[in-house]
Amino acid sequence: MQDQLILVIGATGKTGIRIVKSLREKGFNVREGSRSAAIPFDWERPETWSAALEGVTAAYVSYFPDLAFPGAAEKIEALAKAATLAGVRKLVLLSGRGEAHALACEEIVRNSGLAFTLVRAAWFAQNFSEGYLLGPVLDGVVALPAGDIKEPIADVDDIADVAVAALTDARHDGELYEITGPRLLSFTEAAAEISAAAGFPVHYQPITLEQFHEGMLDIGGPLIADVFTEICRETLDGHNAYLADGVQRALGREPRDFAEFCRSVAASGVWRKAA
Ligand SMILES: NC(=O)c1ccc[n+]([C@@H]2O[C@H](COP(=O)([O-])OP(=O)(O)OC[C@H]3O[C@@H](n4cnc5c(N)ncnc54)[C@H](OP(=O)(O)O)[C@@H]3O)[C@@H](O)[C@H]2O)c1
């Protein structure tokens, strides 16, 4: 373990923070890939990459903001080349389910010549507790352009556990793990489960892609609005409405259920409204 150094890119994000914690608890040496780390890593400043990769044996790669953004594939390819030059053995890529751009990035990693594991995740439960939907949950209305589709909402704890296994055990080399929760949920059903756990009403409001775009323009500007609207158009059309067995294959256990996620977030106080 002490002869390994694992770089976690996105170390302060939803998946990265859990991966760093778990690796350290298991006794691995970890370098945090973050713009504010002692040795910084910045996707927008490739000149930071070689120092961040120096001495690294395996790297977790979560791209920000999303693999669908212009230039993401080129950056993933350049990172794989820099990792090869630095002598990195393995990359573990966080990818998104049912997304063409994510698939293209998976292929880049698959063909990089490095050992790899692909972690292809469904829509995150933690979008409701740590992501952009926390505010709407607290306001009681979650508006998404998702109609009445069902999604096998995945728990980020499971994604992190699979990534940690992949980073630390060569038996996961060459594997593609699709990570979903154990059941399909409509967003109406998800909101009802959040309401029950949080103790106040939370409703799902279906909106059009145009309404979503308008809302995102106010939050993030035209590029963010365009790309995230396209991601919603591509992923929230119901074609991801089936379960996968990535957690079972990688970890030999069942994925965490959305109800358990809701109970633990409610207990943590994150969904407590300010008095
Ligand atoms: N949300 C979903 O439902 C979902 C589903 C499937 C896949 N995904 C994928 O998940 C990935 C995001 O992972 P996540 O949710 O764990 O992360 P996250 O919570 O969105 O956090 C991303 C981290 O990226 C870092 N970051 C921001 N700008 C950066 C830059 N220029 N260079 C380097 N780091 C930067 C930030 O760290 P610092 O501020 O410390 O630098 C931040 O902590 C995306 O690629 C997305 O496609 C998401």
Side-chain angles (χ1 to χ4, degrees):
M1 285 183 193
Q2 291 308 316
D3 56 348
Q4 297 186 45
L5 174 60
I6 301 175
L7 172 66
V8 177
I9 297 175
T12 60
K14 292 186 284 304
T15 56
I17 210 161
R18 290 168 167 82
I19 293 168
V20 168
K21 180 168 181 281
S22 171
L23 287 170
R24 290 207 168 121
E25 282 168 2
K26 292 180 193 312
F28 288 94
N29 292 320
V30 178
R31 179 174 293 156
E32 296 189 29
S34 157
R35 290 166 299 173
S36 57
I39 303 173
F41 178 92
D42 189 338
W43 285 111
E44 304 307 324
R45 293 196 301 133
E47 66 274 17
T48 61
W49 301 358
S50 61
L53 288 163
E54 196 181 332
V56 165
T57 48
Y60 172 73
V61 182
S62 73
Y63 189 75
F64 185 88
D66 192 280
L67 294 172
F69 270 73
E74 290 78 3
K75 290 209 186 97
I76 295 292
E77 186 155 29
L79 181 82
K81 285 195 180 128
T84 305
L85 275 177
V88 175
R89 190 189 84 78
K90 178 168 186 178
L91 298 181
V92 175
L93 177 71
L94 174 63
S95 167
R97 204 164 179 242
E99 292 181 51
H101 291 95
L103 206 61
C105 292
E106 289 178 10
E107 286 313 296
I108 289 166
V109 171
R110 193 188 282 282
N111 296 320
S112 65
L114 294 164
F116 67 88
T117 303
L118 305 173
V119 180
R120 187 190 285 169
W123 202 89
F124 294 176
Q126 278 75 1
N127 291 331
F128 291 121
S129 57
E130 297 168 36
Y132 66 110
L133 291 176
L134 174 57
V137 165
L138 293 172
D139 291 341
V141 182
V142 173
L144 284 171
D148 58 1
I149 65 137
K150 294 207 176 214
E151 172 70 23
I153 299 176
D155 195 300
V156 173
D157 285 355
D158 287 337
I159 298 166
D161 284 354
V162 171
V164 167
L167 287 162
T168 57
D169 187 339
R171 284 177 297 180
H172 300 288
D173 287 7
E175 295 287 349
L176 161 65
Y177 294 123
E178 275 202 58
I179 310 301
T180 71
R183 62 186 164 122
L184 296 173
L185 281 164
S186 69
F187 284 94
T188 302
E189 290 165 338
E193 298 212 17
I194 295 170
S195 296
F200 57 85
V202 180
H203 300 289
Y204 164 58
Q205 184 184 327
I207 54 172
T208 64
L209 287 162
E210 291 70 29
Q211 287 169 320
F212 178 82
H213 187 268
E214 211 169 294
M216 288 302 280
L217 269 179
D218 292 342
I219 300 169
L223 180 63
I224 296 273
D226 288 355
V227 179
F228 279 111
T229 302
E230 276 317 300
I231 294 170
C232 289
R233 187 193 306 279
E234 194 181 11
T235 57
L236 297 179
D237 66 350
H239 80 282
N240 280 336
Y242 62 97
L243 304 180
D245 63 356
V247 174
Q248 293 90 332
R249 284 201 299 118
L251 304 174
R253 66 162 174 82
E254 292 302 307
R256 198 172 175 231
D257 192 73
F258 190 73
E260 196 187 330
F261 157 78
C262 289
R263 277 193 298 275
S264 67
V265 177
S268 75
V270 166
W271 285 337
R272 201 166 298 140
K273 291 191 189 223

